[in-house]
Amino acid sequence: MLFKPDLKETEPAAGARVASRGRGRLAATAVTLLILGGLGYFGWTAFQQKQAANRVRPDLAVPVLAATPRIQDVPVYLDGVGAVRALNTVTVRSQVDGKLIAVNFIEGQDVRKGDVLGEIDPVIYKAQYDQAVAKKAQDEAQLANQRLDLIRYQQLAAANAGSKQQADTQRAVVAQQEALVNSDQAAIDNAQATLSYTKIIAPLSGRTGLRQVDQGNIIHATDATGLAIITQLQPIAVQFSLPQQQIVRVNAASAKGALAVDVFGNDGVTVVDTGTLKGIDNQVDPTTGTLKLKAEFPNAGFQLWPGQFVNVRLKVDTLMQALVVPTSAVQRGPAGTFSYVIGDDNAAAAKPVVVTQQNENDAVIASGLSPSDRVVTTGFANLSDGARVIVGNDAQTPTADLAPHKRRSSRDVQGRDGQGRDSQDRDGQGEHRGKRGERGQGEHKWHSEPAQGGEPSASVAKSQP
């Protein structure tokens, strides 16, 4: 017989077990919520500390660098890209055929106009010259005899001992012989010129290239390569291009006088030579929309070489007594360009400015500033209109780190209290970090005040990456 428990007795025991499980789940949930809340609290606290460390108090003065506008004459340049061209290039060829018996130059040598670069065997051409000289001597002897006959015939005709027709005929024979002697002289001149062509002469001063024909070879007047190529390097030319929008400006400037042209070196900053604009092309290149110009340079130090690509700037005007500020002082906002001007109360005020032109270093201001103003050049990150500033000097300009520093632990940097936070951050919200300057997007520490009641912080100017 099976045992059946009494239902009335088992029901209270089951209810107790269910109640016990419910209390266990409630306790586990409470513990989980407590842990999550603690983690959230610590995360929020760390985030607030980081924000406080990076935030500058609004009541602290912002360290900046400032500059005063200066008055000076500012040249106006047009930049272009060009290529160096030899002012003259000549391929030295022989004008007669023959054997090359001598080469009188070294490859890459500087030669002057009239120097003998090579010699061709002159034997054949000397013989032709001598033959022409001998032919003239023969004809001159016949002419002398015919002139004597003419005198005799004229005397006989005057005495009526001879016919006048014979005298006239002899006069024509003498004129014919004189023309033949003149022809012989022309043949001599031609033979002499041909003989002189056996010496290959430099037609201009310049530098020779590589030799194209070696000594002992037969050289021809029809050879395409020639003996050598001479390029004139002093002076030298540079051909460059400017946009077609600058045509009117260049023509107006060139009408006033010669325009100066500068050529930059490989670094793009150093001016290696200065020349003069010599010519402007008479049409615009329709494929590129540019106008070609040609300038001439002394090239005293052989800084320029044919075929070299160079950066060129053409001076077209000069702004007399212009107001100039550093380019870093000009800022751009939604309303246009402006600059922060420091007042007598060391408060920075944003003023709109009109910029005529600017380069990497200087900007020409047309309006908005006066020569007595002080403009901010560095420290814009924490700067706003009306903010108080502390003006530093050039000696406080931060320098960039050449290598990263070793990271230090929080114990080495901060004095710890019971919660592991710096007492200075807790009391003054990181007030000692207020003395910092910024340049560009990098943060630069000019100087730091020592922490209250703690070790002084680093005072060496560094650039924070």
Side-chain angles (χ1 to χ4, degrees):
M1 183 176 180
L2 297 176
F3 174 75
K4 295 181 180 180
D6 191 358
L7 295 176
K8 294 181 180 180
E9 294 180 356
T10 57
E11 287 178 359
R17 286 195 299 271
V18 171
S20 176
R21 292 195 195 96
R23 287 192 299 270
R25 292 194 187 96
L26 183 59
T29 302
V31 171
T32 302
L33 293 176
L34 182 61
I35 293 174
L36 293 177
L39 294 176
Y41 172 77
F42 286 111
W44 179 83
T45 302
F47 177 76
Q48 290 298 324
Q49 290 179 353
K50 184 176 181 180
Q51 291 295 324
N54 296 330
R55 185 170 58 246
V56 177
R57 288 180 51 179
D59 57 341
L60 294 178
V62 179
V64 298
L65 293 181
T68 302
R70 60 187 185 276
I71 303 296
Q72 67 181 37
D73 296 339
V74 180
V76 180
Y77 294 104
L78 298 179
D79 296 329
V81 178
V84 181
R85 298 282 186 267
L87 194 63
N88 293 293
T89 302
V90 176
T91 301
V92 181
R93 296 185 176 91
S94 172
Q95 293 180 269
V96 295
D97 298 344
K99 180 180 179 181
L100 185 64
I101 61 175
V103 176
N104 301 328
F105 70 94
I106 302 174
E107 296 173 326
Q109 175 185 349
D110 290 327
V111 297
R112 295 192 175 275
K113 182 179 180 179
D115 290 347
V116 179
L117 302 181
E119 298 180 17
I120 298 175
D121 190 358
V123 174
I124 297 177
Y125 303 102
K126 181 65 167 58
Q128 293 175 355
Y129 172 76
D130 294 339
Q131 184 179 2
V133 171
K135 180 67 169 57
K136 179 183 178 182
Q138 180 183 0
D139 292 338
E140 284 179 341
Q142 292 181 2
L143 176 61
N145 183 51
Q146 291 172 357
R147 284 175 176 171
L148 293 175
D149 290 342
L150 176 60
I151 293 174
R152 296 188 186 101
Y153 290 143
Q154 288 176 344
Q155 291 176 352
L156 291 174
N160 292 324
S163 63
K164 293 181 179 180
Q165 181 181 1
Q166 189 176 9
D168 293 339
T169 301
Q170 187 62 30
R171 186 180 295 109
V173 172
V174 170
Q176 183 179 359
Q177 191 65 26
E178 289 177 347
L180 183 59
V181 171
N182 292 334
S183 177
D184 292 340
Q185 182 60 44
I188 291 175
D189 294 341
N190 181 61
Q192 186 176 9
T194 304
L195 179 61
S196 66
Y197 292 156
T198 59
K199 294 183 181 297
I200 303 176
I201 307 299
L204 53 83
S205 299
R207 178 164 295 189
T208 60
L210 301 179
R211 185 175 66 251
Q212 305 295 325
V213 180
D214 296 329
Q215 179 178 341
N217 287 283
I218 302 298
I219 191 170
H220 302 278
T222 57
D223 291 341
T225 57
L227 178 62
I229 297 177
I230 298 178
T231 56
Q232 186 176 0
L233 303 179
Q234 291 178 335
I236 202 167
V238 173
Q239 181 176 310
F240 61 99
S241 301
L242 291 177
Q244 61 181 3
Q245 291 80 4
Q246 304 294 344
I247 296 177
V248 177
R249 195 172 189 180
V250 173
N251 288 333
S254 62
K256 300 178 182 178
L259 301 181
V261 184
D262 296 330
V263 172
F264 293 96
N266 296 330
D267 57 0
V269 177
T270 305
V271 176
V272 297
D273 207 351
T274 300
T276 306
L277 183 67
K278 290 298 183 180
I280 303 175
D281 200 2
N282 57 2
Q283 60 182 350
V284 175
D285 188 351
T287 58
T288 60
T290 58
L291 179 67
K292 294 181 180 179
L293 301 94
K294 185 177 181 180
E296 187 175 312
F297 297 84
N299 197 26
F302 295 103
Q303 299 280 356
L304 304 178
W305 210 255
Q308 177 184 1
F309 289 96
V310 292
N311 293 322
V312 180
R313 68 179 183 185
L314 173 66
K315 182 180 179 181
V316 295
D317 196 6
T318 300
L319 302 178
M320 306 301 294
Q321 298 299 301
L323 187 68
V324 181
V325 298
T327 301
S328 58
V330 179
Q331 301 295 307
R332 285 170 174 78
T337 55
F338 67 95
S339 295
Y340 284 106
V341 179
I342 302 175
D344 296 335
D345 56 351
N346 288 334
K351 289 186 177 182
V353 296
V354 177
V355 180
T356 301
Q357 71 169 23
Q358 71 177 33
N359 54 26
E360 297 177 354
N361 300 318
D362 298 324
V364 179
I365 305 299
S367 62
L369 296 177
S370 64
S372 60
D373 290 335
R374 289 188 304 167
V375 292
V376 177
T377 60
T378 303
F380 299 100
N382 295 322
L383 192 60
S384 61
D385 191 10
R388 293 176 55 248
V389 297
I390 296 178
V391 181
N393 51 48
D394 294 337
Q396 294 173 310
T397 303
T399 58
D401 287 337
L402 299 180
H405 294 284
K406 180 180 178 181
R407 180 175 297 178
R408 294 178 296 176
S409 63
S410 59
R411 291 185 178 181
D412 297 333
V413 180
Q414 299 179 355
R416 302 183 62 85
D417 55 10
Q419 296 181 357
R421 290 177 295 176
D422 195 312
S423 59
Q424 183 70 12
D425 291 342
R426 181 184 57 196
D427 298 334
Q429 295 294 325
E431 185 173 348
H432 68 285
R433 297 189 179 95
K435 299 294 183 180
R436 63 176 64 180
E438 296 191 19
R439 182 168 185 163
Q441 295 180 355
E443 183 181 19
H444 305 288
K445 295 181 180 178
W446 289 346
H447 62 273
S448 299
E449 297 179 354
Q452 300 178 1
E455 294 294 331
S457 59
S459 60
V460 180
K462 296 293 182 180
S463 172
Q464 299 297 327

Coordinates of all heavy atoms in Angstrom, one line a residue, residues 9-19 21:
E9 N -0.7 19.3 4.5 CA 0.6 19.5 5.2 C 1.7 20.0 4.3 O 2.6 20.7 4.6 CB 1.0 18.2 5.9 CG 0.1 17.8 7.0 CD 0.5 16.5 7.7 OE1 1.5 16.0 7.2 OE2 -0.1 16.1 8.7
T10 N 1.6 19.5 3.0 CA 2.7 19.8 2.0 C 2.6 21.2 1.4 O 3.5 21.9 1.0 CB 2.7 18.8 0.9 OG1 1.4 18.8 0.3 CG2 3.0 17.4 1.4
E11 N 1.4 21.8 1.4 CA 1.2 23.1 0.7 C 1.9 24.2 1.5 O 2.6 25.1 0.9 CB -0.3 23.4 0.7 CG -1.0 22.6 -0.4 CD -2.5 22.9 -0.4 OE1 -3.0 23.7 0.5 OE2 -3.2 22.3 -1.2
P12 N 2.0 24.3 2.8 CA 2.7 25.4 3.5 C 4.2 25.2 3.2 O 5.0 26.2 3.0 CB 2.4 25.2 4.9 CG 1.1 24.5 4.9 CD 1.1 23.6 3.7
A13 N 4.8 24.0 3.1 CA 6.2 23.9 2.8 C 6.6 24.4 1.5 O 7.6 25.0 1.3 CB 6.6 22.4 3.0
A14 N 5.8 24.1 0.4 CA 6.1 24.5 -0.9 C 6.0 26.1 -1.0 O 6.9 26.7 -1.7 CB 5.1 23.9 -1.9
G15 N 5.1 26.7 -0.4 CA 5.0 28.2 -0.3 C 6.3 28.8 0.3 O 6.7 29.8 -0.1
A16 N 6.8 28.1 1.3 CA 8.0 28.7 2.0 C 9.2 28.6 1.0 O 10.0 29.6 1.0 CB 8.3 27.9 3.2
R17 N 9.3 27.5 0.3 CA 10.4 27.4 -0.7 C 10.3 28.5 -1.8 O 11.3 29.1 -2.2 CB 10.5 26.0 -1.3 CG 11.0 25.0 -0.3 CD 11.3 23.7 -1.0 NE 10.2 23.1 -1.7 CZ 9.3 22.2 -1.1 NH1 9.5 21.8 0.2 NH2 8.3 21.7 -1.8
V18 N 9.2 28.7 -2.3 CA 9.0 29.8 -3.4 C 9.3 31.2 -2.8 O 9.9 32.0 -3.5 CB 7.5 29.7 -3.9 CG1 7.2 30.9 -4.8 CG2 7.3 28.4 -4.6
A19 N 8.9 31.4 -1.6 CA 9.2 32.7 -1.0 C 10.7 32.9 -0.8 O 11.3 34.0 -1.0 CB 8.5 32.9 0.3
R21 N 13.1 31.5 -2.7 CA 13.7 31.8 -4.0 C 13.5 33.2 -4.4 O 14.4 33.9 -5.0 CB 13.1 30.8 -5.1 CG 13.5 29.4 -4.9 CD 13.2 28.6 -6.1 NE 13.3 27.2 -5.9 CZ 12.2 26.4 -5.6 NH1 11.0 27.0 -5.6 NH2 12.3 25.1 -5.4

